[in-house]
Amino acid sequence: MTHITHRQLFFNHIAQTSRFPLALEIERAEGCFMYEPSGKRYYDLISGIGVSNVGHRHPKVVEAIKEQADRYLHLMVYGEYIQAPQALLAAALAESLDLPAKAIGPFGQIDRVYFTNSGTEAIEGAMKLAKRFTGRFGFVSCFNAYHGASQGALSLAGQQFFQQNFRPLLPGTKRIRYGVAEDLEQITTDTAAFIIEPVGGESGVRIPDLSYMQAVRRRCTETGTLLILDEVQTGFGRTGTFWAFEDYGIYPDILVCAKGMGGGMPIGAFMASENIMSVLTGNPVLGHITTFGGHPVSCAASLAAFRVIREERLYAFAGRKGEMIKAAFSGHPLVKEVRGKGLMLAAEFESFDLLKAIIDACITEGVVTDWFLFCDNSMRIAPPLVISEDQIREVCGIILKVLERFR
Ligand SMILES: Cc1ncc(COP(=O)(O)O)c(C=O)c1O
């Protein structure tokens, strides 16, 4: 029998999402590294797109997964049985959101957590919650934002390109410019929710002004619009604080997270005060349901990741580490700009063609980076938060050497 390689199986049977998948075969991963079957080592500078905040296979996450697997896997659809990993994780998240009273929004402190399987599902849940709570159906989001791929979340997407062949999508959605205070006028008493990322992710790491984010909060409060903060990429320590919004002195009405939350396992959540969340329990009962949301193994992994990030204060070091990366590339003749907050960074080049050639060369040299969905001339740099300063020096050195070839 002829031997069929994994590569052949991948191309023959895995539904492809583009004509140019990276198609690296990884056999093992640990910390900041991924290894091919040949033993070739890659620095993961993108954390599987914002997921591996505690690094690949963090020992505490792996231990929690094993312990939970020895107790039980799926037991029952979401919200019926008392499952300790869910309850403990929800309490931990609520505690992380118990912030100084002056920051709390008009609808109170967030202490209810609805677990989902992904960021997209959490966005969907948040949208339904906002509609149900406000009795409105309008949504405002930002140009160049990405909030997920389902039809509701896609309706919020900030570029027509990804929407056009899937219409009709949800009615009543509007896009405004990210970071432009005058556009906030478009949030009105017809708007159920304004959804925004505290740092724009797929737009290529865009950091709004503090005054803008405060104006966002004010406008939402004035119009009775719920403020949904999408922390799918920024949450769990990525930007230098545990939640990115903490840096702006504001507080959301609904908070969404996923990605880094699971320590490598699939999980997401939308969170709100009891006041808001309670509308999902009646009229109709079971206002939002899921079979696997908050899977006990994912919750156990997430709780372990939560504790690692908070106990080791990984978020606090992300700022300094990010500055090291910024310093390495700022001023380089090929790099037009380096943007970033914590370990969520983007290095901008002249064109996609140049960046793509650089990214390919980096992969050959054992460094995985990427560009962004809505910003294809900027290199995504978002390594695991556990990356050491020596590793930063090493990996920046590799990239700088690659850049020399393109000068
Ligand atoms: C800001 C943001 N929101 C939502 C999502 C959707 O999350 P998921 O891919 O887990 O469905 C993403 C994914 O990239 C994201 O970056």
Side-chain angles (χ1 to χ4, degrees):
M1 211 177 85
T2 51
H3 178 67
I4 300 179
T5 64
H6 295 159
R7 188 179 179 84
Q8 286 166 319
L9 295 176
F10 172 83
F11 280 107
N12 289 347
H13 300 293
I14 295 289
Q16 299 291 314
T17 54
S18 86
R19 298 206 190 285
F20 314 102
L22 278 172
L24 293 176
E25 182 172 353
I26 302 302
E27 191 178 61
R28 188 168 64 82
E30 189 161 5
C32 295
F33 298 112
M34 304 182 292
Y35 299 88
E36 278 185 344
S38 67
K40 180 174 175 182
R41 186 193 83 170
Y42 292 93
Y43 262 106
D44 183 355
L45 266 204
I46 52 176
S47 305
I49 312 292
V51 169
S52 316
N53 287 11
V54 293
H56 291 279
R57 283 196 318 115
H58 191 287
K60 292 202 171 136
V61 172
V62 172
E63 186 188 322
I65 291 171
K66 287 182 174 163
E67 265 182 25
Q68 184 53 39
D70 279 342
R71 287 174 206 273
Y72 57 84
L73 302 177
H74 176 79
L75 293 179
M76 178 55 170
V77 297
Y78 183 72
E80 295 294 334
Y81 291 175
I82 298 165
Q83 302 186 36
Q86 275 181 356
L88 290 169
L89 176 59
L93 290 166
E95 185 228 292
S96 77
L97 293 162
D98 184 359
L99 294 165
K102 68 175 168 37
I104 305 297
F107 299 107
Q109 190 173 304
I110 295 179
D111 62 354
R112 294 291 188 275
V113 183
Y114 194 115
F115 290 117
T116 64
N117 300 289
S118 67
T120 298
E121 281 177 65
I123 294 287
E124 289 291 333
M127 291 175 79
K128 282 175 67 184
L129 180 59
K131 281 169 92 170
R132 179 73 183 80
F133 183 75
T134 61
R136 309 172 183 176
F137 67 90
F139 285 95
V140 178
S141 57
C142 292
F143 286 112
N144 290 331
Y146 176 74
H147 298 291
S150 62
Q151 296 189 67
L154 189 61
S155 302
L156 306 174
Q159 271 200 9
Q160 296 278 337
F161 175 74
F162 285 95
Q163 297 176 321
Q164 62 201 10
N165 290 338
F166 298 102
R167 292 195 184 283
L169 294 169
L170 283 185
T173 61
K174 266 194 284 197
R175 239 75 49 208
I176 62 174
R177 289 171 295 174
Y178 188 80
V180 179
E182 67 199 67
D183 285 15
L184 297 175
E185 292 292 308
Q186 304 222 38
I187 300 169
T188 67
T189 49
D190 288 332
T191 314
F194 175 49
I195 178 159
I196 184 168
E197 298 163 84
V199 174
E202 293 312 309
S203 52
V205 185
R206 308 289 162 176
I207 303 157
D209 292 341
L210 179 100
S211 62
Y212 172 76
M213 291 305 279
Q214 296 194 341
V216 162
R217 177 64 273 178
R218 275 197 306 277
R219 183 68 187 163
C220 287
T221 305
E222 267 163 33
T223 54
T225 300
L226 297 186
L227 172 58
I228 302 178
L229 289 184
D230 179 343
E231 293 237 21
V232 168
Q233 279 199 39
T234 54
F236 273 62
R238 172 61 53 198
T239 66
T241 42
F242 188 77
W243 299 111
F245 75 77
E246 289 175 64
D247 223 18
Y248 300 106
I250 60 162
Y251 197 81
D253 301 312
I254 304 178
L255 178 65
V256 177
C257 75
K259 285 194 183 272
M261 176 185 181
M265 291 293 282
I267 189 167
F270 61 99
M271 300 170 256
S273 62
E274 208 269 325
N275 178 15
I276 295 177
M277 195 67 94
S278 61
V279 298
L280 292 181
T281 61
N283 192 23
V285 65
L286 304 174
H288 193 68
I289 44 182
T290 166
T291 297
F292 284 127
H295 190 283
V297 178
S298 294
C299 285
S302 176
L303 185 59
F306 176 95
R307 287 181 175 151
V308 168
I309 293 170
R310 287 180 79 85
E311 283 161 19
E312 297 179 18
R313 299 186 64 248
L314 291 181
Y315 52 89
F317 301 109
R320 182 180 150 72
K321 291 175 181 176
E323 289 307 318
M324 285 179 68
I325 296 175
K326 270 191 196 164
F329 298 113
S330 297
H332 189 283
L334 291 180
V335 180
K336 293 179 68 186
E337 186 187 24
V338 190
R339 298 179 292 274
K341 205 165 172 37
L343 279 171
M344 185 166 172
L345 299 136
E348 187 173 313
F349 292 84
E350 190 61 44
S351 66
F352 171 69
D353 290 341
L354 173 61
L355 175 61
K356 177 73 168 66
I358 291 168
I359 286 176
D360 289 347
C362 283
I363 291 176
T364 307
E365 296 305 320
V367 177
V368 177
T369 66
D370 199 1
W371 59 93
F372 299 87
L373 209 49
F374 301 139
C375 183
D376 67 6
N377 67 348
S378 295
M379 181 188 277
R380 185 193 297 267
I381 307 175
L385 306 180
V386 292
I387 193 168
S388 70
E389 295 191 2
D390 281 345
Q391 287 169 336
I392 289 177
R393 277 186 277 272
E394 184 183 25
V395 75
C396 289
I398 299 172
I399 299 175
L400 286 169
K401 232 164 127 185
V402 166
L403 292 185
E404 283 312 300
R405 287 188 228 158
F406 292 86
R407 284 182 70 172

mmCIF file of all heavy atoms in Angstrom, residues 216-234:
data_model
loop_
_atom_site.group_PDB
_atom_site.id
_atom_site.type_symbol
_atom_site.label_atom_id
_atom_site.label_comp_id
_atom_site.label_asym_id
_atom_site.label_seq_id
_atom_site.Cartn_x
_atom_site.Cartn_y
_atom_site.Cartn_z
ATOM 1 N N VAL A 216 -17.229 57.170 24.186
ATOM 2 C CA VAL A 216 -18.037 56.004 23.808
ATOM 3 C C VAL A 216 -18.953 55.632 24.978
ATOM 4 O O VAL A 216 -20.164 55.447 24.820
ATOM 5 C CB VAL A 216 -17.124 54.798 23.443
ATOM 6 C CG1 VAL A 216 -17.886 53.485 23.468
ATOM 7 C CG2 VAL A 216 -16.466 55.015 22.083
ATOM 8 N N ARG A 217 -18.331 55.538 26.140
ATOM 9 C CA ARG A 217 -19.113 55.155 27.337
ATOM 10 C C ARG A 217 -20.239 56.172 27.582
ATOM 11 O O ARG A 217 -21.390 55.800 27.844
ATOM 12 C CB ARG A 217 -18.170 55.046 28.540
ATOM 13 C CG ARG A 217 -18.765 54.724 29.888
ATOM 14 C CD ARG A 217 -19.431 53.367 29.999
ATOM 15 N NE ARG A 217 -20.827 53.364 29.604
ATOM 16 C CZ ARG A 217 -21.593 52.287 29.580
ATOM 17 N NH1 ARG A 217 -21.113 51.099 29.904
ATOM 18 N NH2 ARG A 217 -22.849 52.360 29.220
ATOM 19 N N ARG A 218 -19.899 57.448 27.470
ATOM 20 C CA ARG A 218 -20.896 58.495 27.728
ATOM 21 C C ARG A 218 -22.043 58.414 26.728
ATOM 22 O O ARG A 218 -23.209 58.470 27.094
ATOM 23 C CB ARG A 218 -20.257 59.891 27.650
ATOM 24 C CG ARG A 218 -19.601 60.346 28.931
ATOM 25 C CD ARG A 218 -19.367 61.856 28.927
ATOM 26 N NE ARG A 218 -18.626 62.319 27.759
ATOM 27 C CZ ARG A 218 -17.295 62.275 27.656
ATOM 28 N NH1 ARG A 218 -16.571 61.818 28.653
ATOM 29 N NH2 ARG A 218 -16.699 62.710 26.553
ATOM 30 N N ARG A 219 -21.691 58.257 25.447
ATOM 31 C CA ARG A 219 -22.723 58.240 24.401
ATOM 32 C C ARG A 219 -23.657 57.040 24.595
ATOM 33 O O ARG A 219 -24.880 57.147 24.421
ATOM 34 C CB ARG A 219 -22.058 58.187 23.023
ATOM 35 C CG ARG A 219 -23.017 58.228 21.873
ATOM 36 C CD ARG A 219 -23.717 59.587 21.775
ATOM 37 N NE ARG A 219 -24.768 59.586 20.762
ATOM 38 C CZ ARG A 219 -25.733 60.472 20.673
ATOM 39 N NH1 ARG A 219 -25.806 61.478 21.545
ATOM 40 N NH2 ARG A 219 -26.639 60.395 19.730
ATOM 41 N N CYS A 220 -23.103 55.906 24.948
ATOM 42 C CA CYS A 220 -23.939 54.718 25.160
ATOM 43 C C CYS A 220 -24.882 54.970 26.335
ATOM 44 O O CYS A 220 -26.081 54.672 26.261
ATOM 45 C CB CYS A 220 -23.067 53.484 25.416
ATOM 46 S SG CYS A 220 -22.251 52.904 23.919
ATOM 47 N N THR A 221 -24.360 55.532 27.395
ATOM 48 C CA THR A 221 -25.187 55.792 28.575
ATOM 49 C C THR A 221 -26.306 56.784 28.243
ATOM 50 O O THR A 221 -27.466 56.554 28.597
ATOM 51 C CB THR A 221 -24.303 56.315 29.733
ATOM 52 O OG1 THR A 221 -23.263 55.363 29.947
ATOM 53 C CG2 THR A 221 -25.099 56.489 31.018
ATOM 54 N N GLU A 222 -25.939 57.860 27.538
ATOM 55 C CA GLU A 222 -26.924 58.893 27.161
ATOM 56 C C GLU A 222 -28.092 58.320 26.362
ATOM 57 O O GLU A 222 -29.226 58.769 26.486
ATOM 58 C CB GLU A 222 -26.264 59.892 26.193
ATOM 59 C CG GLU A 222 -25.641 61.111 26.784
ATOM 60 C CD GLU A 222 -24.689 61.749 25.745
ATOM 61 O OE1 GLU A 222 -24.931 61.691 24.509
ATOM 62 O OE2 GLU A 222 -23.682 62.274 26.219
ATOM 63 N N THR A 223 -27.793 57.368 25.480
ATOM 64 C CA THR A 223 -28.809 56.877 24.538
ATOM 65 C C THR A 223 -29.425 55.551 25.003
ATOM 66 O O THR A 223 -30.234 54.969 24.275
ATOM 67 C CB THR A 223 -28.195 56.665 23.138
ATOM 68 O OG1 THR A 223 -27.049 55.812 23.268
ATOM 69 C CG2 THR A 223 -27.779 57.974 22.501
ATOM 70 N N GLY A 224 -29.024 55.071 26.173
ATOM 71 C CA GLY A 224 -29.564 53.794 26.663
ATOM 72 C C GLY A 224 -29.105 52.626 25.802
ATOM 73 O O GLY A 224 -29.755 51.584 25.726
ATOM 74 N N THR A 225 -27.972 52.821 25.148
ATOM 75 C CA THR A 225 -27.391 51.773 24.293
ATOM 76 C C THR A 225 -26.427 50.938 25.129
ATOM 77 O O THR A 225 -25.654 51.498 25.911
ATOM 78 C CB THR A 225 -26.613 52.463 23.137
ATOM 79 O OG1 THR A 225 -27.521 53.255 22.390
ATOM 80 C CG2 THR A 225 -25.911 51.460 22.258
ATOM 81 N N LEU A 226 -26.465 49.625 24.955
ATOM 82 C CA LEU A 226 -25.516 48.815 25.716
ATOM 83 C C LEU A 226 -24.140 48.886 25.057
ATOM 84 O O LEU A 226 -24.031 48.833 23.825
ATOM 85 C CB LEU A 226 -25.981 47.359 25.797
ATOM 86 C CG LEU A 226 -27.297 47.110 26.538
ATOM 87 C CD1 LEU A 226 -27.560 45.607 26.680
ATOM 88 C CD2 LEU A 226 -27.303 47.750 27.920
ATOM 89 N N LEU A 227 -23.130 48.993 25.875
ATOM 90 C CA LEU A 227 -21.755 48.989 25.370
ATOM 91 C C LEU A 227 -21.216 47.563 25.472
ATOM 92 O O LEU A 227 -21.035 47.040 26.573
ATOM 93 C CB LEU A 227 -20.889 49.953 26.189
ATOM 94 C CG LEU A 227 -19.380 49.910 25.885
ATOM 95 C CD1 LEU A 227 -19.089 50.209 24.411
ATOM 96 C CD2 LEU A 227 -18.623 50.882 26.777
ATOM 97 N N ILE A 228 -21.018 46.961 24.298
ATOM 98 C CA ILE A 228 -20.419 45.618 24.267
ATOM 99 C C ILE A 228 -18.941 45.784 23.943
ATOM 100 O O ILE A 228 -18.587 46.300 22.887
ATOM 101 C CB ILE A 228 -21.062 44.716 23.177
ATOM 102 C CG1 ILE A 228 -22.569 44.576 23.388
ATOM 103 C CG2 ILE A 228 -20.385 43.350 23.162
ATOM 104 C CD1 ILE A 228 -23.278 43.725 22.317
ATOM 105 N N LEU A 229 -18.092 45.363 24.847
ATOM 106 C CA LEU A 229 -16.662 45.374 24.549
ATOM 107 C C LEU A 229 -16.263 43.971 24.111
ATOM 108 O O LEU A 229 -16.495 42.990 24.822
ATOM 109 C CB LEU A 229 -15.855 45.810 25.767
ATOM 110 C CG LEU A 229 -15.964 47.284 26.147
ATOM 111 C CD1 LEU A 229 -15.039 47.605 27.319
ATOM 112 C CD2 LEU A 229 -15.658 48.217 24.971
ATOM 113 N N ASP A 230 -15.693 43.902 22.917
ATOM 114 C CA ASP A 230 -15.212 42.628 22.381
ATOM 115 C C ASP A 230 -13.752 42.479 22.782
ATOM 116 O O ASP A 230 -12.868 43.097 22.201
ATOM 117 C CB ASP A 230 -15.373 42.628 20.856
ATOM 118 C CG ASP A 230 -14.867 41.331 20.221
ATOM 119 O OD1 ASP A 230 -14.117 40.595 20.889
ATOM 120 O OD2 ASP A 230 -15.208 41.066 19.053
ATOM 121 N N GLU A 231 -13.539 41.655 23.813
ATOM 122 C CA GLU A 231 -12.169 41.406 24.284
ATOM 123 C C GLU A 231 -11.717 40.007 23.890
ATOM 124 O O GLU A 231 -10.951 39.363 24.607
ATOM 125 C CB GLU A 231 -12.085 41.633 25.801
ATOM 126 C CG GLU A 231 -12.291 43.075 26.217
ATOM 127 C CD GLU A 231 -11.117 43.647 27.022
ATOM 128 O OE1 GLU A 231 -9.996 43.104 26.947
ATOM 129 O OE2 GLU A 231 -11.350 44.653 27.728
ATOM 130 N N VAL A 232 -12.211 39.554 22.741
ATOM 131 C CA VAL A 232 -11.826 38.214 22.274
ATOM 132 C C VAL A 232 -10.313 38.140 22.045
ATOM 133 O O VAL A 232 -9.673 37.156 22.409
ATOM 134 C CB VAL A 232 -12.618 37.845 20.999
ATOM 135 C CG1 VAL A 232 -12.054 36.605 20.327
ATOM 136 C CG2 VAL A 232 -14.095 37.626 21.345
ATOM 137 N N GLN A 233 -9.743 39.209 21.479
ATOM 138 C CA GLN A 233 -8.275 39.201 21.290
ATOM 139 C C GLN A 233 -7.538 39.843 22.447
ATOM 140 O O GLN A 233 -6.422 39.468 22.760
ATOM 141 C CB GLN A 233 -7.906 39.975 20.011
ATOM 142 C CG GLN A 233 -8.074 39.144 18.767
ATOM 143 C CD GLN A 233 -7.297 39.679 17.562
ATOM 144 O OE1 GLN A 233 -6.167 40.151 17.659
ATOM 145 N NE2 GLN A 233 -7.911 39.574 16.409
ATOM 146 N N THR A 234 -8.155 40.836 23.063
ATOM 147 C CA THR A 234 -7.405 41.638 24.030
ATOM 148 C C THR A 234 -7.448 41.090 25.462
ATOM 149 O O THR A 234 -6.558 41.398 26.259
ATOM 150 C CB THR A 234 -7.963 43.082 24.057
ATOM 151 O OG1 THR A 234 -9.381 43.016 24.290
ATOM 152 C CG2 THR A 234 -7.713 43.806 22.762
#
